[in-house]
């Protein structure tokens, strides 16, 4: 087809122009370059400046005759089909001169746009690849427009890569989840036609984080029950949670959330074993760290630790008190100031850590104390701590002289200690040298006094002589 068009163009350019009555006649063809299938198009053929009737022929491609008419200006009307696409030109019958050519595109109107996805359904995990294609039932000369959550996806970027009828996501993240649609459009300069797809919901699931297990205890009237919580901080449900005890599965639950609860009877002081929580999705199976199912009642001594918090200027900003019982799995706490109970919240203090920590935002001198008991047994006995004195001491209140005095005292202690250590090390070394020298003299005297002792005497006798001499 291309070769025929090239030959035809060369013929048009090189062919001599028809001459009638001394005038050069060259026909000119005008008409559309694109048209929808099943529509009508018109091609006009005439010789500019000529007013007498002439016979014109409309030809296609390599010379296929379409129609012939005579007039000053001839209009050829065509019904467009898919086979109408091609190169058109007109020719004068007298002299056989040809006009310029027009390439007609027969465009099929777009119909039936829809979205397809890989994978199908469009449910993927973070990091996986997603490919969306905008398919049409029929249509030619198409361009495609994409939308995510009703927002136009203008061009390729780090989020999306566009190519023809395809939108690709190489490594999906949470931002790629949403509602997608596409629109296919015939690329026509006049009367473009559109076809839009239905919405496609793309789900991007999060990978599960390792589950954690914790438990609390409550009284059910006849005994104690452990409420065991199993959950993950991130992920996408549904998730199947399993409660494992010393490697044995006790119970399994499928949840549309990231947490599940299990109930198990327990008793004080009885170790049921190491409990674990297993979380499973269609792509992952994770297990928690072990937690011993052991309930220890509050007992032993209760202590209060104090931590003073200063700002950059050395001014006391707050104090942090912590109530620490010797033992107890689920303690409840209560605080007192000057033997009077402190409420959980106040203008100058706050309680955190389940009541175990008391934060003084305005430090007032006084005697503080705490007590603890089992949170699951309201009739259990409170165990009280000894009182501690909390005073307001600002680091900035110390004078330069006091700081210098403390530093000098510390430095003097270091110097004296170092000197004593050097003296003691030197004396010990000298004493050791003297003992070795004295022993050498004694052995020399023995050799002179008992010249054969080193050869003929028994080892036991030699040892006895030496001990007596040293004594």
């Amino acid at each position: 087809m291309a070769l025929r068009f090239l030959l035809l163009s060369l013929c048009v350019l090189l062919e001599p122009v028809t001459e009638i009555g001394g005038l050069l006649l060259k026909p000119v063809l005008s008409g559309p370059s694109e048209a929808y299938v099943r529509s009508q198009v018109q091609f006009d053929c005439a010789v500019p400046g000529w007013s007498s009737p002439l016979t014109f022929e409309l030809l296609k491609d390599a010379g296929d005759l379409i129609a012939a008419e005579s007039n000053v200006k001839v209009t050829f009307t065509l019904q467009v089909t898919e086979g109408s696409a091609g190169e058109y030109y007109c020719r004068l019958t007298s002299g056989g001169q040809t006009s310029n050519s027009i390439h007609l595109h027969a465009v099929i109107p777009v119909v039936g746009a829809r979205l397809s996805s890989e994978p199908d359904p469009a449910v993927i995990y973070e990091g996986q690849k997603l490919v969306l294609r905008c398919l049409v039932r029929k249509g030619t000369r198409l361009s495609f427009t994409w939308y995510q959550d009703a927002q136009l996806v203008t061009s390729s970027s780090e989020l999306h890569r566009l190519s023809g009828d395809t939108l690709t996501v190489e490594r999906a993240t949470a931002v790629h989840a949403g509602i997608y649609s596409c629109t296919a459009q015939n690329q026509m300069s006049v009367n473009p036609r559109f076809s839009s797809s239905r919405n496609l919901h793309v789900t991007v699931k999060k990978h599960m984080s390792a589950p954690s297990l914790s438990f609390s205890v409550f009284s059910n009237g006849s005994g104690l029950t452990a409420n065991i919580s199993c959950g993950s901080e991130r992920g996408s449900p549904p998730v199947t949670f399993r409660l494992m005890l010393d490697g044995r599965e006790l119970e399994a639950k499928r949840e549309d959330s990231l947490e599940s609860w299990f109930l198990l009877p327990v008793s004080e002081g009885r170790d049921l074993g190491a409990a674990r929580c297993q979380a499973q999705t269609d792509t992952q199976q994770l297990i928690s760290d072990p937690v011993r199912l052991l309930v220890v009642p509050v007992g032993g001594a209760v202590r209060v630790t104090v931590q003073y918090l200063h700002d950059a200027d050395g001014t006391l900003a707050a104090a942090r008190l912590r109530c620490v019982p010797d033992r107890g799995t689920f303690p409840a706490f209560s605080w007192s100031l000057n033997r009077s109970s402190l409420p959980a919240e106040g203008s100058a203090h706050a309680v955190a850590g389940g009541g175990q920590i008391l934060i003084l935002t305005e430090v007032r001198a006084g005697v503080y104390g705490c007590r603890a008991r089992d949170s699951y047994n309201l009739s259990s006995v409170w165990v009280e701590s000894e009182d501690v004195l909390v005073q307001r001491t600002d680091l900035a209140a110390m004078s330069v002289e006091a700081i210098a005095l403390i530093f000098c005292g510390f430095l003097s202690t270091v110097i004296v200690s170092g000197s004593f250590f050097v003296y003691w090390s030197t004396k010990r070394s000298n004493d050791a040298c003297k003992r070795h020298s004295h022993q050498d003299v004694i052995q020399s005297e023995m050799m002179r006094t008992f010249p054969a002792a080193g050869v003929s005497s028994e080892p036991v006798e030699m040892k006895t002589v030496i001990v007596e001499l040293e004594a």
Side-chain angles (χ1 to χ4, degrees):
M1 180 67 71
L3 180 59
R4 288 188 296 175
F5 172 67
L6 180 60
L7 293 174
L8 177 62
S9 301
L10 289 174
C11 292
V12 171
L13 294 175
L14 299 177
E15 188 176 35
V17 180
T18 301
E19 182 176 350
I20 299 179
L23 297 176
L24 297 177
L25 303 182
K26 174 70 176 178
V28 174
L29 181 68
S30 61
S33 61
E34 55 189 18
Y36 285 114
V37 172
R38 296 184 180 179
S39 66
Q40 286 187 344
V41 294
Q42 292 181 338
F43 288 105
D44 295 327
C45 192
V47 175
W50 187 257
S51 59
S52 299
L54 296 172
T55 302
F56 298 92
E57 295 176 334
L58 181 64
L59 301 106
K60 178 175 177 284
D61 295 334
D64 298 333
L65 179 63
I66 305 299
E69 289 189 24
S70 298
N71 209 331
V72 176
K73 178 181 180 182
V74 175
T75 298
F76 299 98
T77 302
L78 300 179
Q79 186 74 24
V80 180
T81 65
E82 292 186 29
S84 299
E87 206 76 22
Y88 289 84
Y89 58 95
C90 66
R91 179 176 62 187
L92 289 173
T93 56
S94 57
Q97 305 306 311
T98 58
S99 69
N100 58 295
S101 63
I102 295 176
H103 188 87
L104 177 66
H105 296 274
V107 180
I108 301 175
V110 61
V111 176
R114 62 182 179 87
L115 273 180
S116 71
S117 70
E118 296 178 14
D120 184 20
V123 179
I124 58 176
Y125 279 86
E126 292 174 321
Q128 291 184 330
K129 184 177 181 178
L130 172 69
V131 178
L132 300 180
R133 287 187 174 88
C134 190
L135 305 179
V136 297
R137 190 162 70 245
K138 58 183 178 178
T140 57
R141 296 196 74 186
L142 299 176
S143 62
F144 300 89
T145 306
W146 291 89
Y147 300 89
Q148 180 186 0
D149 296 328
Q151 299 296 317
L152 178 65
V153 180
T154 55
S155 61
S156 297
S157 65
E158 294 181 357
L159 294 179
H160 310 94
R161 179 163 55 84
L162 303 181
S163 177
D165 64 348
T166 305
L167 182 150
T168 304
V169 174
E170 294 294 343
R171 295 181 59 85
T173 63
V175 299
H176 294 105
I179 306 296
Y180 285 80
S181 65
C182 72
T183 297
Q185 173 185 343
N186 292 116
Q187 291 181 319
M188 298 282 286
S189 57
V190 179
N191 191 27
R193 298 188 184 181
F194 305 85
S195 179
S196 296
S197 70
R198 292 182 178 180
N199 291 335
L200 177 68
H201 186 86
V202 174
T203 301
V204 180
K205 290 188 173 184
K206 297 179 181 179
H207 290 292
M208 292 285 294
S209 61
S212 60
L213 184 146
S214 62
F215 73 102
S216 59
V217 174
F218 64 91
S219 176
N220 57 14
S222 60
L224 298 179
T225 299
N227 186 17
I228 302 171
S229 171
C230 179
S232 297
E233 291 186 357
R234 72 185 306 272
S236 295
V239 184
T240 298
F241 292 100
R242 291 181 173 86
L243 176 63
M244 318 289 290
L245 188 60
D246 289 336
R248 295 180 297 109
E249 181 180 325
L250 298 184
E251 190 176 356
K253 292 183 179 181
R254 184 174 175 85
E255 305 284 359
D256 288 325
S257 64
L258 296 178
E259 191 171 14
S260 187
W261 290 267
F262 303 90
L263 298 179
L264 193 66
V266 294
S267 57
E268 286 186 337
R270 181 187 175 190
D271 190 351
L272 297 183
R276 288 177 180 263
C277 167
Q278 185 186 84
Q280 182 177 351
T281 65
D282 52 355
T283 60
Q284 290 180 282
Q285 181 173 300
L286 305 170
I287 195 163
S288 70
D289 292 332
V291 175
R292 300 212 69 83
L293 292 182
L294 174 62
V295 180
V296 178
V298 172
V302 176
R303 302 179 308 279
V304 175
T305 61
V306 183
Q307 180 183 10
Y308 294 97
L309 306 175
H310 299 83
D311 59 19
D313 298 329
T315 303
L316 182 62
R320 183 176 183 270
L321 283 67
R322 184 181 182 90
C323 189
V324 185
D326 280 348
R327 61 179 181 272
T329 309
F330 299 103
F333 301 95
S334 175
W335 289 91
S336 64
L337 169 60
N338 298 329
R339 303 283 183 175
S340 297
S341 178
L342 273 176
E345 298 292 337
S347 60
H349 71 275
V351 176
Q356 187 176 14
I357 298 173
L358 175 65
I359 299 175
L360 304 178
T361 54
E362 295 181 11
V363 181
R364 300 170 182 172
V367 175
Y368 289 82
C370 76
R371 55 181 184 168
R373 73 173 183 186
D374 295 317
S375 60
Y376 53 84
N377 185 2
L378 299 181
S379 62
S380 59
V381 179
W382 288 101
V383 181
E384 297 188 1
S385 71
E386 294 184 358
D387 293 333
V388 295
L389 177 63
V390 175
Q391 293 180 313
R392 182 175 185 86
T393 55
D394 295 334
L395 294 179
M398 296 180 64
S399 64
V400 177
E401 292 79 3
I403 296 175
L405 183 61
I406 293 174
F407 176 76
C408 291
F410 172 75
L411 184 60
S412 299
T413 303
V414 172
I415 294 174
V416 171
S417 300
S419 301
F420 175 77
F421 176 77
V422 172
Y423 170 76
W424 177 77
S425 299
T426 305
K427 184 177 182 304
R428 184 178 180 185
S429 177
N430 292 337
D431 290 344
C433 291
K434 289 180 180 180
R435 283 198 302 271
H436 286 298
S437 178
H438 181 61
Q439 186 174 354
D440 292 341
V441 172
I442 292 174
Q443 289 178 352
S444 178
E445 290 296 330
M446 286 175 58
M447 294 299 294
R448 287 198 299 269
T449 306
F450 307 103
V455 177
S456 60
S457 298
E458 293 294 331
V460 175
E461 294 176 350
M462 175 63 75
K463 182 178 180 181
T464 304
V465 171
I466 292 173
V467 171
E468 290 176 351
L469 289 173
E470 287 180 350

